[in-house]
Amino acid sequence: MRLFKEKLAWAAPIAVILIIALFSVNLFVQGDPQIKNLPVALIVNDEGKNVDAVKTAVKNMSQGVDGAEPVIAFTTEKEADIDTLFNDKTYYAALVVPKGYHDALTDAVKNKQPATLKVYVNQGYNATGANAAKTALTALVNQMSQQYSTTFIKQLGDKQIDAADATVLANPIVAQDKVFNAVTAKTANGSAPLLMAMPAWVGALIGGFIVFLATASIVKKERLNRSQVLRLMSNQLLFGIIIALFSGFTVATIGTIADIAMPSYLLVALFVSFAAFCFYLLVSAVTAWIGKPAITLFMVVMLLGMGVIMMPPEMLPDFFVNFVRPWIPIRFAAEGLRDIFYFGSGFYTGHSFNVIAGIGIVGLIVFVLSGFKRQNR
């Protein structure tokens, strides 16, 4: 019965409740995601009454239903710019009205050939978001096709038709898909970048905290002068490099064993190592100032981020978009690896690289400043 009098023992069920609660928060994210305002480009290369009908359908779709926000947010663009826009991750997809569409639809029954609306899918941006946009656009094309089908059948009246006519009458408009920045085979259905970025964070978290405990033990036992403090801190940084390299090359090696189709073993290993080292600097900086509570803080960040970083922001509740997603460092590593896997990027991945480097630089500065705190003590 003595155990029931120990306060630390009662902390166990409380800790379990808190951890389960944090995990359960992801149910709000993935339980019933509501898609809203997925950015999609509208490209019009033709004109005529049938083209105007497409524009009307797009306008109606952009208004939403019963006051709710629309699933798709259309923006008119030029087809010549679509590669750049997709590479810049501006749109998940594009609906293209090709040149000659009006005439093709007008003469569809006579020519026994359906008209085509093109659907471009930016798959590498985010497979979930891109597939949702593709599904919505395909449904729009099918809806228009059914409307024209009804009109054409009424116009024919009792006229006899053959099998070819029946096929066109049933589907006078068809959707033609084209995938950009394709999610390649053997990349866990597009999840490989996230799965390979996660160890960078976990390795930095565990490695940074263990090194912190070892360092704290040394500081507690000995009274160090300034040069000794600086030497100890430089050793922490050296351990960080070792931990980061172990993380990066272990991830790449396991990816090879798991038959993940990596664009380059060395490129993936070095990028994960870079991200892991920057995260290590962040962990080291925070633990140097606030100590053991930092591990709880970073665990909370990781648990909250599990569901958030898997979904596009257009499928997340506003709270998670505004107050949780911006504070999840792992997502930048995942975005960088996504650029490497699907967008042909090199080691420098643009925005994601800059953010990770910024995290590392700020972490390094804060970590170095903690040395003065140790010296004062």
Side-chain angles (χ1 to χ4, degrees):
M1 297 297 291
R2 290 178 58 187
L3 183 61
F4 286 90
K5 297 179 181 180
E6 291 291 333
K7 294 181 180 180
L8 185 60
W10 285 105
I14 295 174
V16 169
I17 292 172
L18 290 175
I19 291 173
I20 292 175
L22 287 172
F23 266 114
S24 300
V25 167
N26 289 308
L27 294 176
F28 292 96
V29 178
Q30 299 187 2
D32 184 24
Q34 301 296 316
I35 307 172
K36 55 185 183 298
N37 294 317
L38 282 172
V40 170
L42 174 64
I43 299 171
V44 180
N45 295 328
D46 199 22
E47 56 184 19
K49 181 176 64 175
N50 295 327
V51 177
D52 292 338
V54 176
K55 293 179 180 178
T56 300
V58 165
K59 182 179 179 181
N60 292 336
M61 189 178 190
S62 301
Q63 293 175 348
V65 180
D66 297 330
E69 293 186 78
V71 173
I72 301 294
F74 287 96
T75 303
T76 302
E77 299 287 358
K78 296 179 180 179
E79 188 162 11
D81 300 329
I82 199 63
D83 283 309
T84 301
L85 292 168
F86 276 176
N87 288 337
D88 291 341
K89 304 181 187 67
T90 306
Y91 299 107
Y92 290 100
L95 178 64
V96 182
V97 181
K99 190 171 182 60
Y101 168 78
H102 171 75
D103 293 338
L105 184 54
T106 301
D107 300 329
V109 177
K110 182 176 70 174
N111 296 334
K112 304 182 188 299
Q113 185 70 35
T116 299
L117 287 174
K118 297 180 180 179
V119 176
Y120 293 167
V121 182
N122 190 12
Q123 200 173 56
Y125 181 8
N126 182 289
T128 302
N131 288 335
K134 175 187 173 182
T135 300
L137 293 177
T138 302
L140 176 65
V141 173
N142 290 338
Q143 182 183 25
M144 293 181 58
S145 182
Q146 289 304 310
Q147 292 172 351
Y148 275 94
S149 174
T150 302
T151 301
F152 288 161
I153 290 173
K154 287 182 179 179
Q155 290 174 351
L156 287 174
D158 297 330
K159 183 180 178 180
Q160 295 293 322
I161 59 173
D162 56 24
D165 290 332
T167 300
V168 175
L169 283 172
N171 293 290
I173 307 174
V174 295
Q176 184 182 73
D177 299 338
K178 182 178 179 180
V179 176
F180 289 70
N181 304 312
V183 171
T184 54
K186 298 182 180 180
T187 57
N189 295 321
S191 298
L194 174 59
L195 295 176
M196 301 183 86
M198 190 66 73
W201 175 256
V202 176
L205 184 61
I206 296 174
F209 191 63
I210 291 175
V211 172
F212 163 75
L213 292 177
T215 304
S217 176
I218 294 173
V219 173
K220 188 176 181 180
K221 293 177 182 177
E222 304 176 22
R223 185 175 180 84
L224 305 178
N225 57 38
R226 177 170 296 180
S227 63
Q228 290 173 323
V229 168
L230 293 176
R231 190 179 302 115
L232 184 62
M233 294 178 70
S234 64
N235 288 339
Q236 282 184 264
L237 295 177
L238 180 59
F239 260 106
I241 295 173
I242 295 171
I243 291 169
L245 289 173
F246 266 100
S247 297
F249 281 88
T250 300
V251 166
T253 300
I254 292 175
T256 301
I257 296 172
D259 200 25
I260 297 295
M262 293 181 289
S264 166
Y265 172 90
L266 185 61
L267 179 58
V268 170
L270 290 177
F271 187 84
V272 174
S273 298
F274 163 71
F277 181 63
C278 291
F279 294 157
Y280 174 88
L281 291 174
L282 174 65
V283 172
S284 298
V286 177
T287 52
W289 281 96
I290 68 175
K292 294 179 181 179
I295 192 69
T296 304
L297 173 64
F298 287 121
M299 285 298 295
V300 168
V301 170
M302 185 176 72
L303 293 175
L304 287 176
M306 292 290 287
V308 172
I309 57 179
M310 296 176 65
M311 307 288 283
E314 293 81 9
M315 298 177 70
L316 296 173
D318 291 338
F319 173 80
F320 288 91
V321 174
N322 297 324
F323 299 105
V324 177
R325 192 172 184 271
W327 300 98
I328 308 298
I330 319 168
R331 75 181 179 92
F332 298 105
E335 288 173 5
L337 285 173
R338 189 176 293 118
D339 286 336
I340 291 172
F341 269 80
Y342 308 129
F343 290 83
S345 176
F347 182 72
Y348 179 72
T349 59
H351 175 69
S352 56
F353 182 96
N354 294 339
V355 173
I356 295 171
I359 290 172
I361 292 170
V362 172
L364 178 61
I365 293 172
V366 175
F367 175 68
V368 170
L369 290 176
S370 71
F372 295 97
K373 179 193 71 169
R374 297 179 189 179
Q375 179 63 24
N376 291 335
R377 287 183 177 179

